[in-house]
């Protein structure tokens, strides 16, 4: 079934999930492989707060340390149902932030803390930015509550990732070399030289400090990630700015592994296992000889891959794709749990603190933005290795909302496997190739049950009758609570709805309040730019960039179904030319020079502001140019309350400022996403409808995934935050000579204004990069003065006629 399509996108279906070894169930004559791990989510004790560590207790029990308003507590359980609460009897000084907890081979527990000096975390240390740092890119460091996992987000709407000090899309390299002396050099995140790391051993009801001769960079001790203990008593610590460092039981420095930023690592016995993501390898070192013993291949690294030691020398890797185990003295990591069948695949959950308390039984703790959850995994040999049914979902690209929905759906339908096929997951495949295969499968009756239309031509599929009418589902959801009607009904044709966006984004323009009337449409904006010849409407006011930035507000106006309104397109070109022809200086994105990382409070989570990745997205460096008066407006795509933060800080710095829909040829444009349609030929219509309902459920809509606003108003409000929950500081030396922006979550009043803009959303902009690139490519000659407007329009007509007719 669907073999041709599956081969193209290279699906890896794991059929055998038996522990230890071998395929097939206990009865090898059976046609159905038996046995797989099952997950149970356990309730933590009332008032426990956030989990900060967990360790195997005695006799198969589990010890969990938590932090709440009552302080740090210890809870013990043997069955996950009943808990024994213990007051630990010790507490940390208010000036210290918990960094890590670890147990040695004797079961003694150690606590690592960071005591900040007199100044807040400031900026990158060392003489020059490290090679892994994208120089000249503004960066944001946001504060987290103590006890939360440390995470990096790859972009403003990006996916939460474990801190690894990487540039966009490029994992940190660990070279695996040792050094004979304490390392010297700049810290990745500089700051006061009088920060202090403390290590304490828990002794009864008190903390006994361990004297450590810390290896330091030229800006002093900064902060650490993970602490582990070898069987010989040595302590291995991940130190930001120095790498992975080994100390003796007496606190003496021994060796350093890797580069400035510590990769994920664990220890087992006297061996150190380091994840080298740049080479898809696990480097194994002898902690007594310091020599590298092996480099183990692992091809399933994701942004959140973690590594942990289990019982009897086993080593585990776990991430969104599943759990992998290497047996003692082994060399291969075997996948024992398919993440798609568990909560591991859900993008809102961040997993850590793996504990194996018995063979085939372990615990993981997850965070979903504040609440801790305890996940219990056990192996059941009496259930099928795979669910009996399969629901096939196609998406051109990875989608966080889709993954969240699949995880929720999987819990409600344990007998049905949600098989997400990612079209662009195959290296070398093009959108055209994938679309052709998809269309062939659909026409042959073998297409996926559900199709996510992001990046595809939705109108073509609707016209060909591919999708089921889901008006009943939309009407049902609309009757329950207030929804953003125009978004939910964006694909309504002749009174019937054939596809439903689960999320949407708002392209907005930020400007001085006194200039609000000039932001009504593309013509008024162009006239406003012409009236201010000495300052650009945006920084990079080249025609090529202006065409892309303002495209979402105008493309729906000149693209009417399968035809281009040439008069409207000419109007758009004329407005862009007027803005481009002003004599104001062109401020292009900065080269890779300078740049800095800043922190607020006690957090160390970064969000990089990189260059634009798609048509219609303004470069985030423009935030600084707008904030400090170098340009007239800032244009950005706002997908969440948090993604509004940088623009809001710029507005607060600038003064009286408004946010308005992006001016164009169309009114109140929005960008629908997670657009879901049900294949009318699916043999599982009922269960496919259930999946669509899951996409629109509170468990998906109200989760902060940062990939778009919910289509339900209550869910948008669920993602609102109070200002004290979050803090951010930004710097861009290359743009404004070291100026800083800082602030917290926008005020409730500002967030309510965003909800008002959401409710006013009227016109969908369906991203069609293929068509946009054709038009913009043909338009270059006009803006370069090589051909007139009539010839340009004629060339576009000829270039696009075949594509539009398909």
């Amino acid at each position: 079934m669907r073999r041709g399509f599956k081969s193209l996108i290279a699906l890896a279906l794991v059929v055998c999930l038996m522990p230890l070894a071998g395929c097939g169930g206990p009865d090898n004559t059976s046609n159905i492989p038996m046995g797989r791990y099952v997950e149970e989510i356990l309730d933590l004790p009332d008032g426990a707060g956030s989990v900060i560590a967990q360790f195997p207790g005695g006799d198969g029990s589990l010890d969990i340390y938590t932090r709440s308003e009552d302080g740090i507590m210890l809870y013990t359980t043997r069955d996950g149902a009943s808990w024994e609460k213990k007051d630990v009897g010790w507490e940390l000084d208010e000036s210290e932030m918990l960094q890590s907890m670890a147990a040695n081979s004797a079961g003694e527990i150690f606590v690592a803390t960071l005591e900040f000096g007199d100044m807040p975390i400031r900026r990158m240390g060392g003489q020059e930015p490290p090679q892994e740092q994208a120089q000249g890119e503004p960066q944001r460091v946001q504060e987290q509550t103590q006890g939360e996992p440390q995470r990096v987000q790859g972009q403003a709407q990006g996916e939460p990732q474990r801190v690894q000090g990487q540039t966009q899309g490029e994992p940190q390299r660990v070279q695996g070399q040792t050094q004979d002396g304490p390392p010297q050099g700049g810290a990745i995140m500089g700051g006061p030289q009088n920060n202090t790391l403390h290590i304490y051993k828990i002794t009864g009801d008190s903390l006994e400090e361990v004297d450590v001769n810390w290896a330091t960079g030229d800006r002093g001790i900064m902060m650490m990630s993970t602490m582990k203990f070898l069987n010989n008593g040595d302590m291995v610590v991940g130190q930001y700015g120095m790498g992975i460092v080994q100390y003796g039981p007496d606190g003496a420095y021994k060796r350093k592994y890797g580069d400035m930023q510590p990769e994920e690592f664990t220890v087992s016995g006297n061996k150190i296992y380091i994840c080298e993501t740049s080479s898809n390898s696990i480097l194994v070192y002898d902690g007594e000889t310091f020599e590298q013993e092996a480099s183990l291949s692992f091809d399933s690294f994701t942004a959140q891959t973690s590594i942990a030691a289990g019982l009897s020398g086993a080593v585990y890797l776990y991430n969104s794709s599943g759990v992998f185990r290497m047996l003692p003295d082994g060399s291969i990591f075997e996948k024992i749990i398919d993440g798609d069948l568990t909560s591991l695949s859900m993008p809102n959950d961040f997993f850590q603190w793996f504990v194996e308390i018995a063979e085939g039984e372990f615990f993981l703790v997850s965070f979903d933005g504040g609440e801790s959850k305890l996940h219990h995994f056990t192996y059941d040999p009496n259930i099928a290795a795979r669910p009996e049914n399969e629901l096939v979902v196609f998406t051109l690209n990875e989608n966080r909302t889709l993954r969240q929905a699949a995880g929720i759906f999987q819990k409600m339908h344990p007998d049905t496997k949600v098989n997400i096929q990612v079209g662009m997951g195959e290296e070398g495949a093009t959108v055209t190739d994938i679309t052709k295969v998809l269309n062939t499968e659909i026409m042959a009756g073998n297409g996926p049950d559900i199709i996510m239309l992001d990046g595809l031509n939705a109108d073509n599929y609707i016209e060909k009758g591919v999708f089921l009418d889901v008006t009943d589902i939309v009407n049902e959801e609309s009757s329950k609570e207030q929804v953003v009607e125009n978004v939910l009904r964006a694909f309504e044709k002749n009174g019937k709805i054939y596809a439903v966006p689960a999320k949407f984004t708002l392209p907005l323009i930020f400007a001085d309040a006194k200039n609000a009337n000039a932001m009504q449409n593309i013509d008024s904006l162009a006239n406003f730019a012409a009236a201010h010849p000495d300052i650009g409407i945006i920084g990079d006011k080249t025609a090529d960039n202006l065409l892309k930035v303002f495209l979402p507000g105008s493309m729906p106006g000149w693209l009417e179904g399968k035809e281009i309104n040439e008069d409207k397109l000419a109007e758009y070109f004329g407005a862009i030319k007027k803005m481009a022809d002003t004599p104001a200086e062109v401020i292009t994105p900065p080269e890779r020079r300078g740049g800095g990382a800043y922190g607020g409070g006690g957090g160390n989570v970064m969000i990089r502001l990189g260059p634009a990745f798609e048509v219609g997205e303004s470069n985030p460096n423009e935030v600084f140019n707008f904030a400090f008066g170098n340009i007239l407006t800032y244009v950005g795509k706002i997908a969440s309350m948090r993604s509004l933060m940088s623009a809001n800080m710029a507005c607060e710095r600038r003064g009286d400022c408004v946010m308005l829909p992006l001016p164009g040829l169309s009114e109140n444009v929005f960008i629908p996403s997670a657009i879901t349609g049900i294949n009318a030929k699916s043999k599982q219509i009922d269960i496919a409808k259930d999946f669509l309902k899951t996409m629109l459920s509170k468990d998906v809509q109200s989760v902060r995934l940062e990939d778009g606003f919910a289509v339900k108003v209550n869910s948008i409000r669920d993602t609102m935050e109070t200002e004290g929950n979050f803090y951010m500081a930004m710097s861009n030396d290359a743009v404004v000579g070291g100026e800083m922006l800082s602030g917290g979550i926008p005020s409730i009043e500002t967030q309510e204004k965003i909800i008002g803009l959401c409710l006013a959303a009227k016109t969908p902009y369906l991203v069609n990069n293929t068509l946009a690139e054709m038009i913009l490519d043909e338009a270059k000659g006009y803006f370069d003065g090589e051909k007139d407007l009539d010839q340009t329009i004629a060339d576009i007509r000829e270039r696009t006629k075949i594509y539009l007719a398909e």
Side-chain angles (χ1 to χ4, degrees):
M1 178 178 174
R2 307 180 178 97
R3 295 295 180 190
F5 187 68
K6 286 185 179 180
S7 63
L8 175 64
I9 64 174
L11 287 177
L13 298 180
V14 178
V15 176
C16 175
L17 300 175
M18 293 292 289
L20 302 181
C23 287
D27 180 5
N28 290 328
T29 62
S30 172
N31 291 327
I32 302 176
M34 301 296 291
R36 76 170 185 260
Y37 279 89
V38 294
E39 175 189 20
E40 179 184 13
I41 300 178
L42 304 177
D43 292 328
L44 291 169
D46 291 340
S50 298
V51 176
I52 56 177
Q54 62 174 356
F55 304 100
D59 302 325
S61 64
L62 180 71
D63 291 343
I64 293 182
Y65 287 85
T66 70
R67 185 205 310 275
S68 68
E69 294 179 354
D70 297 329
I72 296 175
M73 296 291 176
L74 170 62
Y75 294 87
T76 299
T77 184
R78 282 185 168 80
D79 57 8
S82 59
W83 296 85
E84 179 184 358
K85 179 181 178 181
K86 301 178 182 178
D87 188 337
V88 297
W90 53 268
E91 60 183 18
L92 299 178
D93 189 274
E94 291 183 357
S95 64
E96 297 180 50
M97 184 175 75
L98 181 70
Q99 298 282 280
S100 181
M101 294 183 68
N104 64 15
S105 58
E108 296 172 314
I109 307 297
F110 292 78
V111 179
T113 70
L114 177 68
E115 181 180 2
F116 289 107
D118 298 331
M119 301 185 301
I121 301 174
R122 288 290 295 176
R123 57 182 310 167
M124 186 182 302
Q127 299 301 311
E128 296 180 356
Q131 293 179 354
E132 292 79 17
Q133 191 81 18
Q135 303 172 30
E137 291 181 345
Q139 301 171 3
R140 300 183 288 180
V141 181
Q142 61 198 43
E143 181 177 348
Q144 282 186 254
T145 305
Q146 293 183 12
E148 282 191 13
Q150 299 169 357
R151 294 179 287 182
V152 171
Q153 295 178 330
Q155 52 188 330
Q157 303 173 25
E159 179 178 348
Q161 303 174 3
R162 184 171 294 271
V163 173
Q164 292 179 331
Q166 71 244 30
T167 55
Q168 278 179 319
E170 181 177 285
Q172 170 81 12
R173 177 177 295 275
V174 173
Q175 296 177 346
Q177 60 192 24
T178 60
Q179 296 181 193
D180 293 331
Q184 303 295 323
I188 184 69
M189 292 181 62
Q193 296 186 12
N194 54 345
N195 280 354
T196 305
L197 282 173
H198 298 280
I199 303 294
Y200 302 101
K201 183 172 74 171
I202 299 177
T203 305
D205 291 339
S206 62
L207 296 176
E208 177 185 338
E209 184 159 9
V210 178
D211 186 23
V212 179
N213 183 25
W214 292 106
T216 63
D218 64 359
R219 295 186 62 85
I221 297 171
M222 298 315 305
M223 55 185 64
M224 61 180 289
S225 59
T226 307
M227 170 177 60
K228 302 286 184 181
F229 286 89
L230 301 174
N231 278 359
N232 64 9
D234 283 1
M235 178 177 67
V236 185
V237 175
Q239 290 179 239
Y240 292 112
M242 278 145 286
I244 297 169
V245 189
Q246 183 176 344
Y247 300 92
D250 59 354
Y253 168 86
K254 285 193 172 182
R255 285 293 185 271
K256 172 185 179 297
Y257 305 86
D259 292 334
M260 295 178 69
Q261 290 292 66
E263 288 266 18
E264 281 292 305
F265 76 94
T266 193
V267 303
S268 180
N270 286 321
K271 294 182 179 181
I272 302 170
Y273 296 80
I274 301 173
C275 296
E276 189 182 60
T277 54
S278 60
S279 63
N280 290 334
S281 301
I282 311 298
L283 305 183
V284 185
Y285 290 90
D286 187 311
E288 295 187 307
T289 67
F290 316 116
E291 298 295 326
Q292 181 176 329
E293 288 189 349
S295 177
L296 310 175
S297 176
F298 184 69
D299 295 327
S300 299
F301 276 113
T302 70
Q304 292 186 7
T305 299
S306 296
I307 188 168
L311 299 175
S312 305
V315 176
Y316 292 84
L317 288 160
Y318 55 96
N319 56 31
S320 59
S321 64
V323 177
F324 304 78
R325 175 178 53 202
M326 183 179 68
L327 297 177
D329 300 320
S331 60
I332 298 175
F333 285 89
E334 173 196 12
K335 189 173 189 178
I336 62 170
I337 297 180
D338 185 347
D340 288 342
L341 299 179
T342 69
S343 300
L344 287 163
S345 64
M346 295 175 63
N348 71 309
D349 283 339
F350 180 87
F351 287 86
Q352 62 178 22
W353 294 315
F354 177 102
V355 170
E356 184 177 23
I357 64 170
E359 188 172 301
E361 180 181 6
F362 53 86
F363 291 87
L364 274 168
V365 173
S366 71
F367 296 83
D368 64 357
E371 179 183 352
S372 296
K373 293 181 289 187
L374 184 62
H375 302 254
H376 184 212
F377 295 86
T378 54
Y379 184 76
D380 187 340
N382 299 315
I383 64 173
R386 305 290 295 180
E388 179 181 354
N389 303 315
E390 182 181 75
L391 184 74
V392 180
V393 182
F394 170 83
T395 178
L396 195 61
N397 297 293
E398 277 288 352
N399 185 280
R400 293 171 59 74
T401 294
L402 174 60
R403 289 289 179 183
Q404 177 73 10
I408 297 296
F409 183 87
Q410 198 76 67
K411 292 178 183 179
M412 297 188 299
H413 300 82
D415 60 340
T416 301
K417 156 73 174 176
V418 180
N419 180 0
I420 297 177
Q421 301 182 341
V422 183
M424 295 304 290
E426 175 73 0
E427 186 176 353
T430 66
V431 174
T432 300
D433 294 335
I434 302 242
T435 303
K436 286 181 179 178
V437 175
L438 173 65
N439 293 344
T440 299
E441 293 294 312
I442 291 173
M443 293 303 105
N446 297 322
D449 301 296
I450 291 174
I451 300 172
M452 184 161 284
L453 288 160
D454 297 23
L456 299 175
N457 192 325
D459 287 338
N460 273 357
Y461 289 104
I462 292 173
E463 289 175 6
K464 294 175 182 177
V466 171
F467 293 127
L468 186 74
D469 175 14
V470 293
T471 308
D472 57 334
I473 295 177
V474 173
N475 288 340
E476 179 184 348
E477 297 297 327
S478 298
S479 67
K480 295 178 183 176
E481 58 182 290
Q482 186 181 14
V483 299
V484 185
E485 285 286 347
N486 287 334
V487 175
L488 209 56
R489 298 177 181 274
F491 296 91
E492 186 171 16
K493 309 288 183 182
N494 300 319
K496 295 182 179 180
I497 301 172
Y498 294 98
V500 181
K503 293 286 181 69
F504 67 101
T505 299
L506 294 176
L508 301 180
I509 192 165
F510 298 80
D512 294 339
K514 64 182 181 181
N515 301 322
N517 288 336
M519 308 293 139
Q520 301 305 307
N521 54 59
I522 196 69
D523 289 327
S524 64
L525 184 69
N527 292 333
F528 175 68
H532 296 78
D534 297 330
I535 182 170
I537 193 75
I538 60 175
D540 183 0
K541 53 172 281 292
T542 59
D544 180 66
N545 191 58
L546 287 166
L547 284 166
K548 295 175 181 178
V549 168
F550 292 100
L551 189 70
S554 291
M555 188 171 178
W558 50 254
L559 182 61
E560 301 171 350
K562 291 190 174 184
E563 295 184 359
I564 293 175
N565 184 319
E566 296 180 0
D567 292 336
K568 289 290 186 180
L569 182 58
E571 181 181 350
Y572 179 60
F573 285 166
I576 294 298
K577 195 172 192 311
K578 183 179 289 188
M579 288 187 276
D581 286 349
T582 60
E585 176 189 2
V586 173
I587 307 175
T588 57
E591 300 296 329
R592 291 190 171 187
R593 61 183 191 275
Y598 290 77
N604 62 336
V605 172
M606 293 186 190
I607 300 179
R608 291 189 185 280
L609 292 179
F613 287 104
E614 62 181 64
V615 169
E617 185 160 359
S618 178
N619 190 292
N621 290 286
E622 300 272 283
V623 169
F624 282 90
N625 288 316
F626 177 61
F628 294 97
N630 296 338
I631 55 179
L632 293 168
T633 70
Y634 167 67
V635 176
K637 291 199 288 191
I638 307 303
S640 68
M641 297 305 178
R642 288 191 180 185
S643 72
L644 175 64
M645 286 179 67
S646 59
N648 186 67
M649 289 191 304
C651 275
E652 290 180 346
R653 171 65 175 75
R654 192 173 176 109
D656 193 13
C657 181
V658 293
M659 52 187 177
L660 300 165
L662 184 67
L665 296 171
S666 302
E667 294 182 5
N668 296 11
V669 168
F670 66 91
I671 306 172
S673 61
I675 306 164
T676 308
I678 298 174
N679 188 344
K681 295 183 179 180
S682 170
K683 297 178 176 60
Q684 305 181 93
I685 292 295
D686 289 341
I687 199 165
K689 283 186 172 183
D690 285 345
F691 187 85
L692 177 56
K693 292 177 182 178
T694 302
M695 292 280 287
L696 301 175
S697 69
K698 181 180 176 65
D699 288 337
V700 175
Q701 292 282 301
S702 294
V703 175
R704 293 191 190 110
L705 297 175
E706 308 299 319
D707 64 345
F709 289 105
V711 294
K712 294 186 173 181
V713 178
N714 286 339
S715 291
I716 299 177
R717 287 203 166 92
D718 287 341
T719 63
M720 291 174 63
E721 301 174 86
T722 57
E723 191 169 358
N725 289 345
F726 210 72
Y727 175 79
M728 180 174 69
M730 303 169 58
S731 172
N732 189 347
D733 292 346
V735 175
V736 287
E739 295 281 6
M740 277 191 72
L741 289 174
S742 62
I745 289 291
S747 67
I748 295 298
E749 179 184 7
T750 299
Q751 294 183 72
E752 286 289 350
K753 288 180 181 179
I754 282 288
I755 293 179
L757 289 170
C758 288
L759 288 170
K762 179 179 179 181
T763 309
Y765 163 64
L766 305 179
V767 178
N768 189 329
N769 287 334
T770 301
L771 179 61
E773 287 171 5
M774 288 182 184
I775 291 172
L776 299 184
D777 184 56
E778 291 297 333
K780 287 180 180 179
Y782 168 65
F783 289 98
D784 291 341
E786 297 174 359
K787 55 184 178 180
D788 62 21
L789 184 57
D790 289 341
Q791 184 61 51
T792 301
I793 297 296
D795 291 343
I796 289 173
R797 183 191 313 126
E798 183 66 24
R799 174 83 175 269
T800 61
K801 65 180 181 181
I802 295 177
Y803 176 81
L804 291 172
E806 290 179 348

